[in-house]
Amino acid sequence: MNISLNWLATHLDLAGKSIKEIDDLFTFAGVEVEGIVVEGITSEKIVVAQVMEAVQHPHADRLKVTHVDAGEGSLRQIVCGAQNYKVGDKVPCALPGTALPGGFTISETVMRKVESRGMLCSAAELGLPAGEDGLLILPADAKVGTPLKQMYESDVLLELEVTPNRPDLLSHRGMARELATLLKTPLKPLEIPSRSVGVAPTASIQIEAPAACPLYTAVRLSGVTVKDSPAWLKQRLEAIGQRPINNIVDVTNYVLHELGQPLHAFDAAKLTGGIVVRHAAEGEVFLALDESRHGLTPDDLLISDASGRALALGGVMGGADSGVTGETTEILLESAYFTPSNIRRTARRTALSSDSSYRFERGVDPAGVLAASALAVKLIVETAGGTAAATTLVAGAAPVLTRPVALDAAKLDQLMGGAIALAEAEAILTRLGLTKRSDATWEVPSFRADLQRHIDLVEEIARVHGLDNVPSRLQGCFVPASASDAAYDADMVLRRRLAALGLHECQTIKLIAAQQLADALLSRPLLEGDVIRVKLPLSEDHAVMRPSLVPGLIASAVRNVSQQVKSLRFFEMGRVFRNAGGGKAKDQESDALAILLAGPGAPFGWARSERNADLYDLKGLLSSLLGGREVRFAPKERPGFVLACDIKADAQVIGVFARLAPARERELDCTAPVYVAELDLTKVRKLLVGINHVADLPQFPGSSRDAAMELPLATANAQLENVIDKCAEPLLTAYECFDVFTDSTGARLPVDRKSVAYRFHYRAADRTLKSDEVDAAHQRVLGALGKDLGVKFR
Amino acid sequence: MPIAFPMKEHLGSIETEALAQIAAATHERALDDARVAVLGKKGSLTLAAAGIKDVPKEDKAAIGQLLNAARAAITAALEAKQAALREIADRAALAGIDATLPARGLPVGSLHPLTQIRDQAIGILRRMGFVLAEGPEIEDEFHCFDALNTPADHPARNEKDTFYFDSGKLLRTHTSSVQIRTMEAQAPPIRIIAPGSAYRRDEIDATHLSVFNQLEGLYVGRDVSLPDLKGTLEYFFRELFGTRTEVRFRPHFFPFTEPSFEIDVKLQIQGQAPRWIEVAGCGMVDPAVFDAINKSRKDQAFDPQTTTGFAFGMGLDRLAMIRWGIKDIRLLIENDVRFLKQFA
């Protein structure tokens, strides 16, 4: 909301207050100051000058060289580009040294080889409301040399954000009342004539919707002349960024911004009979004055005439053909109280909003309805002539929205930490317009319907007293750590390990495009009905909840590929969302960890040959992440991916691994294979739990035996490991594969065969093994391999 | 066979020859050969020593001395030569090493700036005795709005501002819903923080994301007061931004706290004059929230007559932007390596 400081000053004495002080005042009243614009002329060095001569600039077609009289005794030469003036006109002249509102300072200069000693200005250049293009032509009787600031009042425009609980601040009077409270200064009295009030006969006003409109008042004015508003009125409205329209509309706007009560003026000649305040019929169409059409519901409120024709969407906007025009001579001036929730629903349904609906939906002062009407009547008669009906017709009654509220001194003391004495707290309430009743409860003024409970009074006291005046206390209680604490700690361990392993942590957006679902790497595939889609996405790019982190990481990879980044090492931890069982189990949220590796793992350089990451890198990385735990991959196909495997650790599946399908890699312009893994974070966290008991170190030496084995190329290493594990040789403590040999030429080994070399470690806990014991154990293992897999030993 | 005199001569020539061979050795292998040729099982000196049994008795002592002297001289020469050769070899091995060549690099990773600021904030608050709490991001209207004293026709409860699902559920618009979840499950005292995502139907631009990160806090007990709120949050922001940071509380409005405040800290962002920057919202828990919780719990664990509390919430994306001078919030979700690696 915009507030003009000059306008505000008509309500209270702000003399001597700096803009900074006023800014702070609003800020600590709870009103956010979003902008401060100093308008008008503040410099002494912008003066009235008369153009005495203007000739074509010798080197520039569009410029003229002028000589102006700025009241200095001699003429001043100024180069000027404007075209709208003639010799003899009086125009504003900014003398060298002037800082203009645009932020630049005028200096003596040479323009295209011609000296220029100042600047002739347009209205916009001076920060005045912009008029026609070109120089601001001043009245002929302006005295040469006079500073313009004496002719144009400067003002400060405050752009304020009022919180929704304070509709009473949505006017100059309301703001002034608040500042007066904070400054402990009196408000200047309002000059509003009292008018006689009479109950409206139903032929004049009939309220059929009393819940939505408890109070409706109208005044008839005759013989008015619609024309431009007087300068003072235009200036007031322009100062807060409102465009003057005509005297009638301007008066209603003025009263709205002066008192906060929206008014509406109908052309009475266009009405058939009296006013009927009614609900709309289902599907009734309303044509608003901005020419938009709206289908209505019975919840919407219409102001219509006796014929049933809709004149206005109550409290929101006037109709297209009931308003004041240049020909209007008879006016019906509406001032009413509309119920906030009703206006809010209508404004939302129709997407119409106006200064009126903004105030009605927050709640206007029911007791201010008649005063606003009286002020408008006075101003219309002053600016448009004519006569007003002697009586304001009133239908319904102003609702009473306030009730007495008790202030509990003990609770106030507890909440404020004893920071304020009761007497001081009571003084604050009194300044805010509350009055203490004989039963010690507080009577709340009609414009503060937000004060309904004890805590509302405490808030006012705390706000006005200021948190600056409340002491700080540093204390708290002890509470036990939660499961979330343990999960967070585990996650941070994982994050730090992954960063130490050379991965960048990513954060991707949780709403993804439906097309990205093809990149989701899931242990349980998505069935029809498992995708969670928001009802009204901002765009199709962010339409479904991510069921997997992988699509986001792939998008991040693509972004970096386009920046010529070769080494892609990413991880992300966060929530994923899906339904399960084809939508049977709804809105399942779980935590996941995803990793993406592609391209060279180490920086390019002289000391190392470049090698693209492969799946064994990712496997090793997972093993390091899990404290050296063995990680096994069990192949399991996933659509859209190749080489897909379940990831197992400690004999349970903890996630899924895959390489993007090569076609997808090409589509994404990835030149290196892209490997991804997604892990169930809940399971991974459990693997981080440390040991309970340390193992004794071996007391006796062990021995190892190597074996080179030839077997079919298609035999998976896991099959070997399964056989070795199955034979459960008690002396075998560890084994590792240290060579894999294949020969695609077939020269040294048939192309469909491979040779793998294993080293087996044997040890007994209680003795040094004898050589023949080791040999016997080794033969048992090799025997099992030979028997189960037909391995040939070389 | 030879007698003493020729033996003496013989020993002399063995020594001369051996010393010459040692001197001529240019590498350790040649030196080893020399050692074997003289001192090995069939070496010249070993054989000569075997000949001592043929030396006349009266010469034995003298020849023995000569023999020992020759062995000592040869051994000393071998050792000296070995040391010399090793020194040369060591020097040669180091000669090609240029310490100024670039490193054999390892990949360097990083924690996302949001993780870093979140961890810092959580670290401070946990030291102050807060524990972590969480709740679902797909929420219902009760936990996101109703229980938080937000009227049914509040502007936030609007399909234009909030993401809804066909099920009637919604994406939580703030982490404040975790306050409700926690109070439903636990009785006072409660002292929790809840970091997490929140969602608003804002077009993504330089200052807005439709999914952003918040940190919520709640302290409920007996005699929790405005001084507690002020002390806690002043301490927190001074720990986060520096002990001399100015902190101010501006009155504000939130449906679920009363009185409510916004918190500004006075900070100097690089290249700008110090100014007040909004960093959080806070307030005393509105008694209407306790009423809603009691109704949901079907007990009076949060009796508004005796229970008080404060709550606060802050935008972590915003804190990260302030902390590192990040001008475009989208940098936080684009994961450009050139951006991320600065946080290594």
Side-chain angles (χ1 to χ4, degrees):
Chain A
M1 187 192 48
N2 290 347
I3 288 284
S4 145
L5 205 55
N6 289 345
W7 190 342
L8 199 63
T10 64
H11 292 284
L12 85 167
D13 186 6
L14 290 172
K17 292 270 171 289
S18 69
I19 292 175
K20 165 98 180 48
E21 284 171 286
I22 300 222
D23 182 354
D24 281 353
L25 262 179
F26 279 115
T27 299
F28 287 99
V31 176
E32 204 165 323
V33 180
E34 294 187 317
I36 297 176
V37 184
V38 179
E39 291 187 323
I41 300 157
T42 51
S43 170
E44 290 280 350
K45 290 185 152 185
I46 301 169
V47 298
V48 178
Q50 187 168 24
V51 181
M52 306 307 288
E53 188 188 327
V55 298
Q56 185 60 45
H57 190 293
H59 309 297
D61 290 350
R62 297 208 174 151
L63 297 179
K64 280 185 180 150
V65 180
T66 67
H67 286 88
V68 302
D69 176 6
E72 297 166 299
S74 61
L75 296 187
R76 192 170 264 276
Q77 176 173 299
I78 293 173
V79 176
C80 179
Q83 306 293 336
N84 67 322
Y85 62 95
K86 55 186 188 299
V87 170
D89 277 350
K90 291 185 177 158
V91 295
C93 173
L95 301 176
T98 310
L100 289 181
F104 78 103
T105 302
I106 305 298
S107 58
E108 299 200 2
T109 180
V110 176
M111 294 175 80
R112 301 267 181 116
K113 300 181 190 165
V114 175
E115 198 186 16
S116 182
R117 297 172 52 229
M119 176 172 159
L120 305 182
C121 302
S122 69
E125 283 159 347
L126 296 174
L128 297 172
E132 60 175 318
D133 283 349
L135 301 185
L136 174 63
I137 309 296
L138 300 169
D141 59 359
K143 190 166 170 289
V144 161
T146 310
L148 249 74
K149 65 177 283 194
Q150 293 178 15
M151 302 169 60
Y152 290 88
E153 192 186 18
S154 66
D155 197 358
V156 175
L157 173 70
L158 297 155
E159 293 160 5
L160 305 176
E161 171 85 29
V162 175
T163 54
N165 59 324
R166 294 300 304 274
D168 61 301
L169 299 181
L170 295 173
S171 67
H172 285 80
R173 184 67 181 178
M175 277 296 176
R177 192 165 50 211
E178 187 69 17
L179 292 196
T181 299
L182 298 174
L183 289 169
K184 303 184 190 175
T185 55
L187 270 179
K188 294 179 187 172
L190 275 177
E191 281 166 27
I192 298 178
S194 62
R195 286 179 49 80
S196 88
V197 169
V199 175
T202 48
S204 299
I205 305 172
Q206 191 179 347
I207 300 179
E208 291 180 356
C213 177
L215 172 67
Y216 194 97
T217 75
V219 180
R220 209 179 175 93
L221 293 107
S222 313
V224 299
T225 309
V226 177
K227 58 185 179 189
D228 270 6
S229 292
W232 72 265
L233 181 51
K234 283 185 177 174
Q235 205 177 343
R236 282 275 178 261
L237 293 177
E238 280 170 349
I240 56 166
Q242 297 270 322
R243 192 169 52 90
I245 295 168
N246 60 46
N247 48 1
I248 309 296
V249 174
D250 291 353
V251 164
T252 60
N253 266 336
Y254 171 83
V255 172
L256 179 146
H257 290 284
E258 167 83 348
L259 300 178
Q261 168 68 39
L263 304 171
H264 194 75
F266 297 106
D267 184 336
K270 294 175 185 165
L271 267 61
T272 310
I275 293 285
V276 179
V277 181
R278 63 173 174 88
H279 289 296
E282 180 68 52
E284 185 170 353
V285 173
F286 174 72
L287 186 61
L289 57 80
D290 65 358
E291 295 188 342
S292 57
R293 294 174 74 85
H294 302 274
L296 303 181
T297 75
D299 189 44
D300 298 313
L301 190 71
L302 282 172
I303 311 303
S304 70
D305 63 13
S307 76
R309 191 172 63 103
L311 309 172
L313 190 58
V316 179
M317 198 168 279
D321 48 7
S322 64
V324 173
T325 67
E327 284 76 51
T328 301
T329 56
E330 301 276 300
I331 289 172
L332 191 79
L333 181 72
E334 165 199 292
S335 182
Y337 179 86
F338 297 109
T339 304
S341 53
N342 204 270
I343 300 293
R344 213 173 297 157
R345 288 196 299 271
T346 294
R348 190 180 301 173
R349 263 196 303 267
T350 57
L352 281 175
S353 75
S354 61
D355 283 340
S356 295
S357 67
Y358 188 83
R359 283 164 180 76
F360 281 128
E361 69 183 27
R362 282 162 177 76
V364 300
D365 177 6
V369 169
L370 283 169
S373 175
L375 177 60
V377 167
K378 168 180 174 252
L379 292 174
I380 289 173
V381 172
E382 276 174 21
T383 62
T387 52
T391 303
T392 303
L393 297 178
V394 176
V400 177
L401 305 172
T402 58
R403 57 179 176 187
V405 183
L407 179 67
D408 179 330
K411 279 163 86 178
L412 173 70
D413 220 34
Q414 185 275 320
L415 222 57
M416 296 287 288
I420 188 166
L422 183 61
E424 206 181 329
E426 291 191 334
I428 288 172
L429 294 182
T430 306
R431 287 214 306 283
L432 285 165
L434 284 77
T435 42
K436 196 172 181 179
R437 292 154 38 111
S438 54
D439 64 354
T441 60
W442 290 81
E443 185 85 51
V444 176
S446 60
F447 52 84
R448 288 305 304 271
D450 60 313
L451 306 181
Q452 297 282 339
R453 304 168 301 164
H454 169 261
I455 193 69
D456 299 326
L457 300 189
V458 173
E459 176 182 39
E460 290 302 292
I461 294 161
R463 182 175 68 84
V464 175
H465 190 58
L467 217 53
D468 271 356
N469 298 317
V470 170
S472 301
R473 186 160 73 167
L474 291 162
Q475 69 164 46
C477 61
F478 296 164
V479 290
S482 66
S484 303
D485 279 294
Y488 179 80
D489 290 337
D491 291 356
M492 283 309 292
V493 167
L494 292 168
R495 285 189 167 101
R496 293 204 172 95
R497 282 185 188 172
L498 286 160
L501 287 164
L503 275 73
H504 290 294
E505 187 186 11
C506 293
Q507 172 179 265
T508 66
I509 201 151
K510 290 175 177 172
L511 283 162
I512 63 172
Q515 299 97 289
Q516 285 181 278
L517 291 171
D519 288 333
L521 182 62
L522 296 160
S523 56
R524 285 174 304 157
L526 292 171
L527 304 176
E528 179 94 24
D530 282 351
V531 175
I532 306 176
R533 190 187 159 85
V534 296
K535 211 154 89 181
L536 209 61
L538 272 169
S539 75
E540 282 306 313
D541 288 343
H542 305 291
V544 301
M545 300 302 290
R546 63 178 185 195
S548 156
L549 301 175
V550 171
L553 283 189
I554 291 176
S556 297
V558 169
R559 177 179 184 85
N560 281 290
V561 165
S562 71
Q563 298 293 342
Q564 277 78 47
V565 176
K566 280 184 160 177
S567 173
L568 304 171
R569 298 170 66 83
F570 295 137
F571 78 95
E572 179 172 11
M573 286 167 67
R575 246 178 234 191
V576 291
F577 307 82
R578 61 175 296 172
N579 298 331
K584 273 187 211 120
K586 292 248 186 278
D587 304 328
Q588 300 200 335
E589 299 184 25
S590 57
D591 294 331
L593 159 65
I595 295 172
L596 181 147
L597 286 189
F604 176 68
W606 65 276
R608 183 151 34 205
S609 58
E610 201 168 57
R611 182 179 66 78
N612 283 335
D614 61 24
L615 86 88
Y616 307 106
D617 289 317
L618 203 148
K619 209 171 177 180
L621 194 137
L622 289 175
S623 178
S624 293
L625 177 67
L626 300 177
R629 221 178 226 87
E630 190 180 10
V631 170
R632 291 188 172 182
F633 281 15
K636 187 170 179 184
E637 279 192 30
R638 309 274 172 198
F641 294 90
V642 294
L643 297 176
C645 299
D646 279 349
I647 303 170
K648 290 184 175 179
D650 282 10
Q652 62 165 335
V653 175
I654 59 165
V656 191
F657 158 87
R659 180 185 157 177
L660 294 199
R664 178 78 178 129
E665 287 168 357
R666 280 191 291 276
E667 195 177 288
L668 300 173
D669 282 335
C670 295
T671 49
V674 180
Y675 297 95
V676 288
E678 181 151 325
L679 301 147
D680 180 337
L681 203 44
T682 317
K683 290 179 178 167
V684 174
R685 285 173 191 145
K686 286 186 186 139
L687 296 177
L688 289 186
V689 175
I691 53 166
N692 285 325
H693 295 286
V694 69
D696 291 332
L697 299 185
Q699 297 296 304
F700 298 93
S703 303
S704 60
R705 296 287 186 272
D706 292 353
M709 305 177 269
E710 193 196 307
L711 63 170
L713 189 63
T715 304
N717 188 61
Q719 288 177 265
L720 280 175
E721 292 179 346
N722 284 342
V723 172
I724 298 167
D725 291 349
K726 210 175 70 191
C727 75
E729 168 54 47
L731 297 179
L732 181 66
T733 52
Y735 58 88
E736 66 245 5
C737 174
F738 66 90
D739 190 39
V740 177
F741 176 77
T742 58
D743 185 356
S744 57
T745 67
R748 295 169 65 193
L749 195 65
V751 287
D752 60 347
R753 306 281 292 172
K754 65 180 170 183
S755 171
V756 289
Y758 265 70
R759 178 161 296 161
F760 297 89
H761 300 272
Y762 301 93
R763 186 200 302 277
D766 56 350
R767 65 189 190 283
T768 303
L769 286 176
K770 293 191 189 101
S771 178
D772 53 355
E773 282 182 288
V774 175
D775 290 340
H778 190 52
Q779 282 313 313
R780 285 194 291 273
V781 174
L782 299 192
L785 286 167
K787 182 165 158 278
D788 290 8
L789 294 174
V791 169
K792 276 180 19 194
F793 298 96
R794 290 153 59 96
Chain B
M1 275 308 287
I3 48 150
F5 180 72
M7 182 66 168
K8 186 180 172 186
E9 252 184 4
H10 182 54
L11 283 177
S13 73
I14 286 174
E15 185 177 333
T16 313
E17 224 170 278
L19 292 180
Q21 203 180 344
I22 289 166
T26 53
H27 46 84
E28 277 203 76
R29 186 75 174 273
L31 194 64
D32 256 359
D33 291 347
R35 183 200 313 275
V36 171
V38 183
L39 300 177
K41 271 184 186 171
K42 290 179 180 165
S44 49
L45 195 67
T46 312
L47 292 176
I52 199 158
K53 63 179 186 294
D54 301 326
V55 172
K57 211 174 194 169
E58 63 277 20
D59 293 338
K60 263 193 183 162
I63 293 298
Q65 273 181 6
L66 282 175
L67 196 63
N68 286 339
R71 180 177 283 123
I74 291 165
T75 307
L78 277 170
E79 280 172 5
K81 185 67 179 184
Q82 187 185 41
L85 284 177
R86 284 190 174 168
E87 201 190 315
I88 291 166
D90 287 351
R91 217 180 293 132
L94 296 171
I97 296 176
D98 177 358
T100 65
L101 270 171
R104 181 175 294 125
L106 289 171
V108 175
S110 61
L111 294 182
H112 196 277
L114 265 166
T115 295
Q116 296 192 26
I117 198 88
R118 184 195 295 119
D119 194 49
Q120 207 185 341
I122 288 176
I124 297 164
L125 289 159
R126 283 170 118 188
R127 267 191 278 126
M128 296 163 76
F130 285 87
V131 297
L132 286 163
E134 4 177 23
E137 294 176 27
I138 299 176
E139 256 302 0
D140 52 43
E141 295 207 79
F142 175 76
H143 291 90
C144 195
F145 294 130
D146 297 334
L148 286 161
N149 196 31
T150 310
D153 55 3
H154 189 276
R157 303 179 69 156
N158 176 333
E159 291 206 339
K160 272 196 287 184
D161 298 317
T162 299
F163 290 111
Y164 281 87
F165 299 101
D166 286 332
S167 63
K169 287 198 172 184
L170 50 87
L171 284 169
R172 66 180 181 200
T173 56
H174 45 202
T175 43
S176 306
S177 54
V178 182
Q179 290 183 28
I180 304 302
R181 294 266 170 200
T182 308
M183 287 191 279
E184 280 177 330
Q186 281 169 241
I190 286 174
R191 197 164 163 85
I192 55 145
I193 46 172
S197 292
Y199 302 75
R200 279 175 209 170
R201 234 178 136 271
D202 280 336
E203 291 286 351
I204 297 177
D205 61 26
T207 52
H208 295 91
L209 291 178
S210 49
V211 187
F212 49 97
N213 296 278
Q214 288 190 329
L215 178 71
E216 187 81 14
L218 175 71
Y219 176 29
V220 175
R222 278 170 190 272
D223 190 29
V224 179
S225 65
L226 270 175
D228 293 323
L229 170 137
K230 188 182 174 193
T232 302
L233 290 165
E234 273 176 349
Y235 178 85
F236 171 76
F237 283 110
R238 286 180 183 148
E239 285 288 289
L240 193 67
F241 289 114
T243 45
R244 290 179 184 195
T245 306
E246 285 181 73
V247 180
R248 74 176 188 187
F249 294 78
R250 272 185 292 111
H252 198 71
F253 172 77
F254 303 109
F256 40 94
T257 50
E258 185 158 9
S260 306
F261 300 89
E262 281 190 330
I263 305 174
D264 297 340
V265 292
K266 199 169 210 174
L267 290 178
Q268 176 147 30
I269 293 174
Q270 213 176 6
Q272 294 178 16
R275 62 187 173 93
W276 289 107
I277 296 172
E278 180 193 326
V279 285
C282 65
M284 303 304 295
V285 178
D286 194 302
V289 174
F290 293 141
D291 286 336
I293 295 287
N294 288 332
K295 219 168 139 192
S296 166
R297 292 173 57 104
K298 301 190 176 69
D299 66 12
Q300 282 293 311
F302 293 81
D303 179 358
Q305 293 306 313
T306 53
T307 311
T308 49
F310 68 76
F312 56 91
M314 62 194 88
L316 291 170
D317 310 84
R318 193 175 153 72
L319 288 184
M321 290 174 82
I322 294 167
R323 167 75 180 74
W324 287 290
I326 299 167
K327 292 187 189 76
D328 189 328
I329 197 169
R330 289 170 292 198
L331 285 166
L332 294 174
I333 54 159
E334 283 169 349
N335 306 308
D336 191 311
V337 169
R338 296 167 300 174
F339 173 77
L340 295 178
K341 70 181 179 191
Q342 298 181 51
F343 296 91

